[in-house]
């Protein structure tokens, strides 16, 4: 069992509202000040970046991922028109979109392919990134193929998200009213999925404050930790656009850039460009994180939210409300403008919103009376990846944390000339156009602020500082270490071995003791395994690459390793149990970020709209177009074999029957009866599946699933009260 860290003192509540002009409070001395929250894990996917390393590269080099909407999302020839007056069209055909929004690894999360197909991709993406964030934190340890949050179930989940438009695609395919679709389209279930999967018992909630949703979720997570409602928390947000619906609505509201350029603070700013993304952070009170030896990416000193109240219009921002919020959060964090070196603004790239935000920032900095030593960098991630709506706040937070890691401030693309409504001469801000070193503030610490404002009127703000320096690791004796690596199948294991070798083949690679501790106690141990007993990093890199290409699943060099570790390596690689806690060294080994699980990238997507049925071929039958074309390599049959042949599982056939009944108008809970398989559906080659329905004389429907000479028949009826339907 993992060691349980000693309990930390209960954090004091966040500072209460104060009078407008108090003397600014200073942060308490020393590490782990009351109220400080550590970011101990993080993960994310954004346009042009499948992980945070790629995201940082794009940020530092000033890349913009905005392009025309790809055809797999929606047809710009049909839905785009530069005439903004057209109510059913969009005057923008540009966006920053994620790659692989249709890809998922349902088996990892114990989900069937049919359930995955009915699940909003926002749920799928958040599940995977939440797991990767826990692995990054070294808190994804559990038993054999039994993922669980390491050390405690007392973990909260807070997600900025909304009802996605995948439900529109389900509806067009006649599959919107199934049980899988009902759960798969619910924002509340999006947050609950990871809690259910890991058996987490902390507060679990979806948060919708429009564009400030994910930073508001981070704020709520921090407050929950400070109140002691949970010991750790996952917080983040996700946003996808799978149809032109959001573009059309924003176009009708006059929000979009007709030129497809996201240019925060620039004279060319003419509206927002929509973007997509998903990001997650793992949070823990700083004092506890230090005591537990966690790796700390950054420290959230203070957060806050407020509302605009009545403004010039329902969606119009309030400079006064923004200024008040910034001043209150800065006081709570114990910082002034002199301490802040970087501001990640909301910065949507609109000619009106940007000047209001910059004025609010200037007023807030001016009010504390402290003069920064030099110009304060001002940026917005929306210039790189567009406005990611519900995920905008977490995108900005991850950008800040990456900048703190690299101690560099990235540029803001598209900035050439200042918006004439912005007076940068008032100070203290400048918009960087190239990456630059980030020097620490007068206290020797780099500090940034982050804003996210919703068109609902909810404003969120945070102060983030770099982590306190880790004490140097004590000198470790030269000895062998047992390094475990595992995955759910051999293909995933090979990918994982290669990624780990690449990460370790650098000068900044962690010590072997840290590696052994993190992989032993901080990761789940899956069935496909490899284990290595090594003394040197170069030796391990060679062994990882050899194993990835089919070499031995364990490595032991008798001249350099201990016989006991060799036996444990064999035991582990052969599927046995190892007491990793007992192997934990007492020489100061620490958890470190390492490459995360390599998920399968299988396509799971609802089929397109079904054509109207042709005239009945037989009396009473209503044949439609093929409901699905199955191929031997489709996961639903590839993983279900009888006598070595891929066969459609019986439960999959029943699920298709329920979907067909819903398309016929029989929605809600149903009962299936009189089910008979006349012949199983073998899929040794591509086969068309057809589901037909007809009214049953005694009520409900008859159904038939056919694929050549194979057939499934039965009856489906509404489930009456008292028949066993759930009430939750």
């Amino acid at each position: 069992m993992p060691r349980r860290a000693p309990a930390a003192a209960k954090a004091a509540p966040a500072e209460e509202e104060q009078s407008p002009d108090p003397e600014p409070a200073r942060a308490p001395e020393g590490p782990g000040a009351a109220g400080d929250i550590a970011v101990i894990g993080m993960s994310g996917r954004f346009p042009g970046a499948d992980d945070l390393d790629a995201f940082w590269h794009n940020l530092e080099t000033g890349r913009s991922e905005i392009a025309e909407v790809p055809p797999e999302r929606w047809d710009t020839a049909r839905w785009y028109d530069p005439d903004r007056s057209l109510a059913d069209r969009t005057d923008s055909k540009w966006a920053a979109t994620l790659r692989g929004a249709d890809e998922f690894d349902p088996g990892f999360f114990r989900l069937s392919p049919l359930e995955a197909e009915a699940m909003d991709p926002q749920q799928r993406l958040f599940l995977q990134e939440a797991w990767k964030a826990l692995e990054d934190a070294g808190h994804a340890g559990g038993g054999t193929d039994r993922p669980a949050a390491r050390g405690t179930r007392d973990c909260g989940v807070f997600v900025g998200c909304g009802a996605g438009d995948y439900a529109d695609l389900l509806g067009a395919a006649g599959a919107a009213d199934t049980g899988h679709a009902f759960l798969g389209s619910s924002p509340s279930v999006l947050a609950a999925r990871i809690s259910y999967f890991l058996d987490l018992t902390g507060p679990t909630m979806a948060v919708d404050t429009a564009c400030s949703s994910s930073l508001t979720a981070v704020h709520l997570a921090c407050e929950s930790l400070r109140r002691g409602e949970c010991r750790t928390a996952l917080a983040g947000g996700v946003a996808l656009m799978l149809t032109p619906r959001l573009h059309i609505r924003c176009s009708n509201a006059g929000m979009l850039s007709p030129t497809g350029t996201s240019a925060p603070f620039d004279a060319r700013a003419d509206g927002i460009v929509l973007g997509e993304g998903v990001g997650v952070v793992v949070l823990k009170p700083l004092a506890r994180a230090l005591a537990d030896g966690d790796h700390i990416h950054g420290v959230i000193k203070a957060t806050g939210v407020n509302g605009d109240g009545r403004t010039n219009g329902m969606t119009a921002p309030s400079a006064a409300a923004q200024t008040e919020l910034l001043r209150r959060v800065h006081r709570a964090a114990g910082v002034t403008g002199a301490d802040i070196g970087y501001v990640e603004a909301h910065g949507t790239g609109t000619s009106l919103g940007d000047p209001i935000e910059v004025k609010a920032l200037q007023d807030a900095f001016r009010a504390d009376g402290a003069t920064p030593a030099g110009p304060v960098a001002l940026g917005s991630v929306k210039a790189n990846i567009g406005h990611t709506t519900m995920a905008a706040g977490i995108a900005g937070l991850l950008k800040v944390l990456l900048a703190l890691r690299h101690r560099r401030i990235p540029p803001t693309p598209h900035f050439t000339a200042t918006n004439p409504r912005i007076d940068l001469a008032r100070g203290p801000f400048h918009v960087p156009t190239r990456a630059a070193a980030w020097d620490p503030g007068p206290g020797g610490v780099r500090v940034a602020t982050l804003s996210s404002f919703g068109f609902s009127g909810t404003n969120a703000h945070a102060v983030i500082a770099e982590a306190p320096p880790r004490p140097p690791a004590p000198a470790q004796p030269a000895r062998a270490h047992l390094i475990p690596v595992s995955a759910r199948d051999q293909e995933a294991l090979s990918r994982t071995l290669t990624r780990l070798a690449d990460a370790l083949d650098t000068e900044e690679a962690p010590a072997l003791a840290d590696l052994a501790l993190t992989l032993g106690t901080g990761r789940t141990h899956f069935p496909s395994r490899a284990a290595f007993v090594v003394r040197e990093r170069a030796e391990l890199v060679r062994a990882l690459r050899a194993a990835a290409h089919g070499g031995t699943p364990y490595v032991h060099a008798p001249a350099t390793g201990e016989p006991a570790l060799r036996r444990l390596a064999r035991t582990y690689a052969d599927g046995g149990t190892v007491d990793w806690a007992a192997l934990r060294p007492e020489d100061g080994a620490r958890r470190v970020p390492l490459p995360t699980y390599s998920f399968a990238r299988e396509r799971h997507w609802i089929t397109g709209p079904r054509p109207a049925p042709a005239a009945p071929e037989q009396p009473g039958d209503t044949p439609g177009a093929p409901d699905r074309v199955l191929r031997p390599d489709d996961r639903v049959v590839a993983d279900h074999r009888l006598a070595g042949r891929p066969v459609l599982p019986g439960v999959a056939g029943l699920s298709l029957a329920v979907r067909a009944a819903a398309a016929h108008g029989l929605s809600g809970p149903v009962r299936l009866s009189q089910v008979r398989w006349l012949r199983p559906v073998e899929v040794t080659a591509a086969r068309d599946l057809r589901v037909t329905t007809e009214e049953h004389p005694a009520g409900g429907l008859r159904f038939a699933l056919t694929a050549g000479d194979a057939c499934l028949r039965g009856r489906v009826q509404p489930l009456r009260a008292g028949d066993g339907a759930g009430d939750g």
Side-chain angles (χ1 to χ4, degrees):
M1 296 292 291
R3 294 187 176 184
R4 185 177 295 276
K10 186 175 180 181
E15 183 176 333
E16 297 293 332
E17 184 85 21
Q18 297 184 8
S19 58
D21 296 300
E23 191 67 25
R26 301 304 301 177
E29 297 283 337
D36 284 359
I37 302 297
V39 180
I40 63 171
M42 60 183 186
S43 184
R45 285 177 62 185
F46 295 96
D50 288 341
D51 57 39
L52 293 185
D53 287 339
F55 186 43
W56 171 252
H57 173 77
N58 292 346
L59 292 172
E60 187 180 31
T61 56
R63 283 181 57 91
S64 172
E65 297 297 330
I66 294 168
E68 287 197 15
V69 174
E72 62 266 23
R73 292 306 177 84
W74 46 271
D75 183 6
T76 56
R78 176 182 178 186
W79 297 106
Y80 167 72
D81 194 299
D83 184 356
R84 182 172 286 183
S85 66
L86 298 178
D88 61 346
R89 296 291 186 272
T90 170
D91 66 337
S92 172
K93 57 180 177 180
W94 299 275
T97 58
L98 285 180
R99 291 191 294 256
D102 58 339
E103 297 170 346
F104 186 49
D105 189 348
F108 184 93
F109 297 99
R110 304 191 192 95
L111 296 166
S112 73
L114 288 174
E115 185 171 4
E117 184 183 87
M119 186 189 301
D120 188 331
Q122 294 183 131
Q123 291 196 14
R124 309 180 206 164
L125 289 177
F126 189 82
L127 267 176
Q128 293 188 159
E129 295 309 309
W131 177 255
K132 288 163 64 177
L134 287 169
E135 284 197 325
D136 181 73
H139 284 256
T144 302
D145 201 17
R146 183 182 58 80
R150 178 193 167 277
T152 180
R153 297 163 59 209
D154 189 9
C155 178
V157 181
F158 303 80
V159 190
C161 60
D165 50 6
Y166 191 64
D168 296 350
L169 302 179
L170 292 172
D177 297 321
T178 67
H180 287 332
F182 177 45
L183 294 177
S185 300
S186 168
S188 62
V189 173
L190 187 153
R193 288 275 186 190
I194 194 69
S195 295
Y196 176 79
F197 177 59
L198 296 177
D199 192 23
L200 307 180
T201 59
T204 301
M205 62 186 72
V207 179
D208 182 357
T209 59
C211 310
S212 58
S213 295
S214 54
L215 191 56
T216 301
V218 171
H219 165 72
L220 294 173
C222 291
E223 290 298 295
S224 186
L225 290 166
R226 291 172 181 133
R227 288 192 296 267
E229 294 174 344
C230 53
R231 292 164 59 92
T232 57
L234 287 161
V238 59
L240 290 176
M241 303 169 292
L242 308 175
T243 74
R245 184 176 70 184
L246 183 60
H247 271 80
I248 291 171
R249 290 179 175 179
C250 290
S251 177
N252 289 339
M255 296 179 175
L256 299 182
S257 164
T259 61
T261 302
S262 180
F265 321 117
D266 193 82
R268 295 174 298 153
D270 59 358
I272 67 172
V273 179
L274 294 170
E276 300 178 328
V278 54
V280 188
V281 290
V282 184
L283 306 176
K284 180 188 279 191
L286 177 59
R288 182 176 297 280
L290 292 169
D292 290 349
D294 290 309
H295 179 86
I296 300 172
H297 294 287
V299 177
I300 300 176
K301 302 289 295 181
T303 60
V305 297
N306 75 352
D308 281 338
R310 182 177 295 169
T311 60
N312 292 333
M314 182 64 194
T315 62
S318 166
Q322 292 178 18
T323 300
E324 188 278 330
L325 175 64
L326 269 56
R327 295 180 62 192
R328 174 159 55 88
V329 175
H330 296 179
R331 289 198 305 267
V335 301
T336 68
D339 302 303
I340 299 167
Y342 177 66
V343 171
E344 174 63 19
H346 185 57
T348 55
T350 59
S351 60
L352 178 62
D354 288 354
I356 290 176
E357 181 176 9
V358 173
K359 181 180 185 302
L361 281 163
Q362 291 171 326
D363 290 346
F365 271 62
R366 185 186 299 268
D368 65 31
T371 303
V376 178
L378 176 69
S380 171
V381 74
K382 295 175 182 63
N384 304 90
I385 58 172
H387 192 339
T388 54
T389 59
M390 317 296 274
I394 193 67
L397 176 57
L398 291 170
K399 175 184 174 181
V400 168
L401 292 169
L402 290 168
L404 287 171
R405 172 195 291 177
H406 294 277
R407 298 181 175 182
R408 290 180 65 76
I409 293 175
T412 294
H414 307 140
F415 183 81
T416 56
T418 307
N419 184 326
R421 297 183 179 181
I422 296 176
D423 183 8
L424 290 182
R426 290 185 67 205
F429 304 109
H430 78 104
V431 181
T433 57
R434 63 184 63 184
W438 185 353
D439 296 324
V445 178
R446 294 168 182 83
V447 178
T449 65
L450 167 65
S451 294
S452 193
F453 307 138
F455 79 162
S456 62
T458 298
N459 307 309
H461 189 67
V463 175
I464 303 101
E466 63 184 332
R470 261 187 165 181
Q476 298 175 353
R479 62 182 180 85
H481 295 275
L482 173 56
I483 310 297
V485 186
S486 71
R488 292 187 67 252
D489 55 51
Q490 193 60 42
E491 289 185 7
L493 178 61
S494 295
R495 295 193 301 268
T496 301
L497 291 166
T498 299
R499 292 177 62 191
L500 184 58
D502 291 343
L504 297 179
D505 202 8
T506 64
E507 292 300 323
E508 297 79 21
L512 287 180
D514 296 342
L515 191 66
L517 172 68
T518 302
L519 293 177
T521 66
R523 297 291 174 95
T524 294
H525 300 291
F526 296 102
S528 295
R529 299 179 174 186
F532 310 92
V533 179
V534 292
R535 283 178 176 266
E536 297 178 352
R537 178 165 52 87
E539 179 186 7
L540 175 59
V541 171
R542 290 193 298 270
L544 289 166
R545 296 200 189 282
H549 291 87
T552 179
Y554 53 87
V555 171
H556 174 72
T560 60
E562 290 84 353
L565 289 184
R566 178 177 62 182
R567 290 195 299 271
L568 287 176
R570 288 179 178 272
T571 297
Y572 179 80
D574 291 339
T577 300
V578 174
D579 185 353
W580 296 104
L583 285 178
R584 180 169 181 171
E586 298 298 335
D587 52 8
R590 302 173 290 195
R591 283 185 291 276
V592 290
L594 294 170
T596 54
Y597 191 84
S598 181
F599 290 110
R601 307 196 74 163
E602 304 166 359
R603 176 176 167 82
H604 293 274
W605 207 252
I606 194 66
T607 54
R610 297 179 185 139
E617 297 178 6
Q618 299 177 5
D621 285 339
T622 310
D627 292 296
R628 182 163 184 163
V629 178
L630 276 183
R631 295 176 176 82
D633 58 349
D634 285 346
R635 178 74 177 267
V636 70
V637 293
D639 288 352
H640 186 262
R641 291 177 175 266
L642 296 179
R645 292 174 174 268
V647 175
L648 181 72
V651 68
L654 297 178
S655 180
L656 290 171
V658 171
R659 181 185 297 174
H664 195 113
L666 189 60
S667 58
V670 296
R671 173 194 295 276
L672 291 115
S673 60
Q674 303 171 19
V675 176
R676 292 181 298 155
W677 275 107
L678 304 184
R679 185 184 297 272
V681 179
E682 291 187 359
V683 191
T684 55
R687 300 196 69 173
D688 289 343
L689 293 185
R690 184 188 300 271
V691 183
T692 59
T693 56
E694 64 171 333
E695 302 292 333
H696 193 285
L701 302 171
R702 289 193 184 102
F703 68 84
L705 181 152
T706 56
D709 59 351
C711 188
L712 165 68
R713 295 185 183 276
R715 180 183 178 189
V716 58
Q717 303 165 260
L719 191 65
R720 299 185 301 272
D723 283 348
D727 61 0

